Amino acid sequence: MDVLLTVAITFVVSLALAYLFFSVELKREKKRLKREYNALLRAGEKSQSESEHILATIDIGILYYNAAGDLSSKNPAAADLLPVIPTSFRDFLDHYGNLNGMAAQLALGKDFVSAVLQLDDHMTYISVQLVGKGDKTGRVVLARDATRQFKEETQRNQYVSNVSHELRTPLTTIKTYSESLIDWGIQEKQRSQITKDVTKIYEESEHMEQLINDLSLLSNLDERTIGSRSHIEPLDPATVVKSLVERMQIQAHEQGIILEAFAVSQVPRIYCDRTQLERILTNLITNAIKYSNEPGQVTVYIGSVREEAYIKVKDDGIGIDSQHLEHIFERFYRVDDSRARQSGGRGLGLAIVKELVELNEGTISVTSALTRGSEFTIMFPSEQKTLRQCLYQLCHESTDLSYVGKAAESDLIELAQSFGIMAKWKSLEQQDYERLLSAINKV
């Protein structure tokens, strides 16, 4: 009896211990599974948050319509690109897919369709891609702003058309006069007629050469290759202006124009390529002479204001109507087409002027009115201002230096070396920074 009781008690105790053990293990396992579940949940939430963040930062509009055709996902860019965000794919096609054929192509079973929509003054490229298989097939809609692309394409086509037209005009003249010499024969023409024909051929070939040179210069400016060949240095703009005005006196005198230059204040030195500055001023002064009525006057003023040096080219000529002012720096744009052609204008001079000014970190503006003349104003930062801006950029910013900035940096390195300062810009001591600033103010 005692033995049976002992066995029974042992069994009950063992069973209780086993239950207790498995109960503890079960709770431990539940906690482990809960931790893993929570970790997976957090990872999923993080992944979803990262996906949403990525979608929110890209500038391409994205819509996702599920297999039922309902909108289930979109990003902020879609609302910026599309005036209406339909909640169903059927409504989407009604809004954006009927006139351009996207709806018809999808009905024919195509997996990918695209079209360009003109919405107000914007061009938007839209594509629809089928994703998934069977009853889980959804549709991803991508929308991208194509306004700039289409504008550049239009400008490119217009540019090619203008170049072709400008080359065709002198070529036609050369061909006509050459045919005249061939058909009539040199022996049958008087010497004066032959001279006239050959002179015309020479003038038109020279016109073509100048046009090609201008186009080549603009191409280099577009590709920014001219900057690497520029010799940008501190120079006195007043000296350049007065020297150039002196050289252009004969041209002005032949047109019955009085050409003068005045320094209205002390003019600081500027960072600029001398050859390019002379090209800028030659174009502006030549235009001023060309579009002035005899007798007339062209005056070039040089001065300074707020650490900027300015050069004004002022004439009392025919002036420019206000409707043309915002376009005069565009390539091949002519205010008076007939007069420009008669005087050899190619519609590229002011475009070249603007690009050369900007290459040298300057700005150009114009004021004009019909019959009241025109005034072109160029402004360049002073040498001191350029050096200070360059020093700040080297020490505090990570952006690349312009060609003017690189020239200024070279001078800053020499200045630093003269003080025994190592030009390690990002780690420059504050006291060394202040010493350089003080030296720049004395330049």
Side-chain angles (χ1 to χ4, degrees), residues 93-105:
L93 291 180
D94 288 340
H95 271 91
Y96 304 115
N98 286 327
L99 295 179
N100 50 43
M102 284 199 303
Q105 293 181 66

Side-chain angles (χ1 to χ4, degrees), residues 273-292:
D273 181 291
R274 185 186 183 99
T275 301
Q276 292 170 9
L277 181 58
E278 289 182 344
R279 175 69 180 269
I280 291 165
L281 295 173
T282 299
N283 280 14
L284 291 178
I285 296 172
T286 299
N287 277 356
I289 294 172
K290 185 188 304 180
Y291 294 105
S292 291

Side-chain angles (χ1 to χ4, degrees), residues 296-309:
Q297 181 157 351
V298 174
T299 309
V300 184
Y301 298 98
I302 318 107
S304 65
V305 57
R306 295 182 181 178
E307 292 196 295
E308 300 272 336

Side-chain angles (χ1 to χ4, degrees), residues 9-23:
I9 292 172
T10 302
F11 175 76
V12 170
V13 171
S14 298
L15 188 63
L17 290 173
Y19 173 78
L20 182 62
F21 173 78
F22 283 112
S23 177

Side-chain angles (χ1 to χ4, degrees), residues 111-366:
D111 293 338
F112 176 84
V113 297
S114 63
V116 176
L117 303 177
Q118 183 166 357
L119 304 169
D120 297 326
D121 57 343
H122 293 281
M123 305 295 289
T124 304
Y125 175 82
I126 293 182
S127 65
V128 178
Q129 173 76 56
L130 272 67
V131 293
K133 294 181 179 180
D135 58 356
K136 294 185 178 180
T137 301
R139 296 169 178 84
V140 174
V141 178
L142 300 180
R144 176 172 56 84
D145 187 357
T147 305
R148 181 177 178 181
Q149 177 184 342
F150 273 81
K151 183 178 180 180
E152 290 177 349
E153 184 66 27
T154 302
Q155 290 176 339
R156 191 158 44 245
N157 292 337
Q158 184 65 40
Y159 184 71
V160 172
S161 175
N162 286 331
V163 170
S164 300
H165 178 73
E166 291 296 328
L167 289 173
R168 189 179 297 112
T169 302
L171 276 174
T172 301
T173 303
I174 291 172
K175 183 178 179 181
T176 300
Y177 279 87
S178 300
E179 288 176 344
S180 172
L181 288 170
I182 294 171
D183 293 342
W184 286 88
I186 295 177
Q187 301 300 328
E188 299 179 21
K189 281 196 168 189
Q190 296 180 2
R191 185 178 183 84
S192 60
Q193 292 177 313
I194 295 173
T195 302
K196 181 180 178 181
D197 290 352
V198 173
T199 300
K200 191 65 178 175
I201 291 172
Y202 173 77
E203 289 174 348
E204 293 301 319
S205 64
E206 199 172 46
H207 176 84
M208 286 183 62
E209 183 181 23
Q210 292 171 350
L211 174 61
I212 291 170
N213 288 338
D214 286 348
L215 291 172
S216 177
L217 175 57
L218 284 169
S219 176
N220 289 333
L221 285 166
D222 288 340
E223 297 173 2
R224 311 305 289 180
T225 56
I226 191 172
S228 60
R229 302 195 299 271
S230 300
H231 182 59
I232 296 173
E233 60 181 344
L235 54 83
D236 178 12
T239 301
V240 177
V241 168
K242 291 176 180 178
S243 174
L244 184 63
V245 165
E246 186 65 31
R247 295 203 305 268
M248 297 186 71
Q249 288 296 334
I250 295 176
Q251 179 184 343
H253 180 72
E254 290 175 348
Q255 300 294 323
I257 305 297
I258 298 173
L259 175 60
E260 295 179 302
F262 297 99
V264 297
S265 63
Q266 187 174 359
V267 184
R269 295 199 304 176
I270 62 173
Y271 274 93
C272 197
D273 181 291
R274 185 186 183 99
T275 301
Q276 292 170 9
L277 181 58
E278 289 182 344
R279 175 69 180 269
I280 291 165
L281 295 173
T282 299
N283 280 14
L284 291 178
I285 296 172
T286 299
N287 277 356
I289 294 172
K290 185 188 304 180
Y291 294 105
S292 291
N293 295 316
E294 185 181 349
Q297 181 157 351
V298 174
T299 309
V300 184
Y301 298 98
I302 318 107
S304 65
V305 57
R306 295 182 181 178
E307 292 196 295
E308 300 272 336
Y310 68 79
I311 304 171
K312 294 179 184 287
V313 180
K314 181 178 175 59
D315 66 69
D316 57 1
I318 60 175
I320 305 169
D321 191 277
S322 58
Q323 65 177 324
H324 298 294
L325 288 178
E326 62 178 312
H327 301 291
I328 60 173
F329 294 110
E330 296 174 6
R331 300 177 186 186
F332 294 106
Y333 190 87
R334 294 185 179 94
V335 175
D336 184 347
D337 197 61
S338 60
R339 180 162 181 168
R341 290 189 184 282
Q342 290 173 4
S343 58
R346 298 175 292 279
L348 295 174
L350 289 179
I352 290 173
V353 164
K354 186 175 187 295
E355 302 225 18
L356 286 176
V357 167
E358 292 176 350
L359 180 67
N360 288 275
E361 298 292 300
T363 60
I364 184 169
S365 59
V366 57

Side-chain angles (χ1 to χ4, degrees), residues 388-403:
R388 281 199 301 272
Q389 289 176 337
C390 180
L391 180 62
Y392 181 86
Q393 187 175 351
L394 288 167
C395 295
H396 299 96
E397 298 179 359
S398 57
T399 53
D400 293 333
L401 293 174
S402 64
Y403 292 110

